[in-house]
Amino acid sequence: MHVEEGAGSEGQAAAVELAAGEAAFVLHPKQIIAFQGRSGSREDRLLNVAGVYRKKRWIESRLIGPARFVLGVPAGYSFRAMELPEDSSLLFDIRYVLLYSEGMKLQSRFQKIKQAVVTQDWIRMKFSGGGTLGLLSCGPLCELTIDPSEPVYVDIGCLVAYPEEAKLQLCVYGNPLASQRMNYHWEITGSGKVLLQPSRPRLGLADPLQGDSLFKRILREALPFGGVIIK
């Protein structure tokens, strides 16, 4: 898989090329704004209950090479393609995953109850086996090296990925005035790097299961042209 970031003006698109025999999954199919290849090379499927819970999506697209397609990047978001090694231990917030290579193994990792209650995020996803991961974030992603003894404090809404072996604790820091005026932060220790986005997400792309009733979402995804007819 070859990914060209910033294929559109101001970086608002990413071009992806799949060789023969390659395949990729897109978790936000509506972001596919152009496609070149056989019509049958795109297969959309309705996920089962477990898939919806894990991926926070109702539908995902499987695209098979040889093919080329363009992913639109919404205003205010940035796209980044990452090559993950086979032994990657990073745990991702699945809401920011737009694209991943077929053959990657997805494993669920449950958060502690106290953490999940505050973040409203019960699971993180581990992608192993090696491959390409395409991420959407609120601004360009940055990497920060963590230390086993000196903690790093990260706004809970800005943490996209962290090593599975890292230790996370919910906290605030600073003097009383500072701690009263800030969002909850993760106190992170360990080794490796964390991925951060510079601002918290807005409702919409990063929160695809919020807003509508369950019945309306099922109808929109299951019926032909449901996304157009049912508002």
Side-chain angles (χ1 to χ4, degrees):
M1 183 194 308
H2 175 72
V3 182
E4 181 184 348
E5 301 175 22
S9 61
E10 299 182 0
Q12 291 305 120
V16 182
E17 183 169 354
L18 298 173
E22 288 186 319
F25 291 94
V26 177
L27 291 182
H28 296 275
K30 289 184 178 180
Q31 302 310 125
I32 303 173
I33 61 174
F35 175 81
Q36 185 177 25
R38 294 184 301 104
S39 176
S41 294
R42 173 173 171 172
E43 302 173 352
D44 286 16
R45 63 169 183 159
L46 188 65
L47 299 176
N48 57 26
V49 174
V52 170
Y53 184 73
R54 295 171 68 209
K55 299 180 180 180
K56 293 184 170 64
R57 297 297 300 168
W58 292 97
I59 283 182
E60 70 175 1
S61 294
R62 180 175 182 258
L63 296 112
I64 309 164
R68 292 184 293 178
F69 58 95
V70 178
L71 297 170
V73 180
Y77 286 84
S78 296
F79 177 85
R80 178 176 173 182
M82 299 182 61
E83 290 295 328
L84 294 184
E86 292 188 8
D87 59 350
S88 174
S89 66
L90 287 175
L91 301 183
F92 289 85
D93 186 331
I94 193 66
R95 292 174 296 180
Y96 304 115
V97 177
L98 174 59
L99 169 80
Y100 66 94
S101 301
E102 184 175 60
M104 299 184 78
K105 184 178 180 181
L106 280 66
Q107 298 171 295
S108 302
R109 293 292 187 265
F110 286 88
Q111 291 199 93
K112 296 178 180 178
I113 294 178
K114 181 180 179 180
Q115 296 172 344
V117 168
V118 174
T119 63
Q120 298 297 303
D121 183 16
W122 290 88
I123 61 174
R124 288 265 174 166
M125 296 300 298
K126 179 179 178 180
F127 292 80
S128 57
T132 302
L133 199 66
L135 300 170
L136 282 177
S137 58
C138 298
L141 280 175
C142 59
E143 298 182 1
L144 185 65
T145 301
I146 57 177
D147 185 88
S149 57
E150 185 176 355
V152 172
Y153 300 96
V154 177
D155 188 309
I156 63 171
C158 295
L159 182 61
V160 174
Y162 60 87
E164 184 174 15
E165 301 81 9
K167 182 179 180 181
L168 279 71
Q169 293 185 347
L170 285 169
C171 71
V172 292
Y173 65 94
N175 64 8
L177 182 59
S179 62
Q180 292 169 11
R181 295 173 60 84
M182 69 173 58
N183 299 318
Y184 270 108
H185 281 60
W186 292 117
E187 180 186 287
I188 307 176
T189 54
S191 58
K193 294 183 178 181
V194 296
L195 298 179
L196 312 175
Q197 58 184 356
S199 62
R200 284 174 163 246
R202 303 183 304 274
L203 290 179
L205 184 66
D207 297 287
L209 294 183
Q210 293 188 6
D212 292 334
S213 68
L214 175 62
F215 180 69
K216 183 181 288 187
R217 290 199 300 266
I218 292 175
L219 288 179
R220 183 180 291 122
E221 301 291 5
L223 294 177
F225 303 103
V228 177
I229 299 172
I230 302 173
K231 300 296 184 181

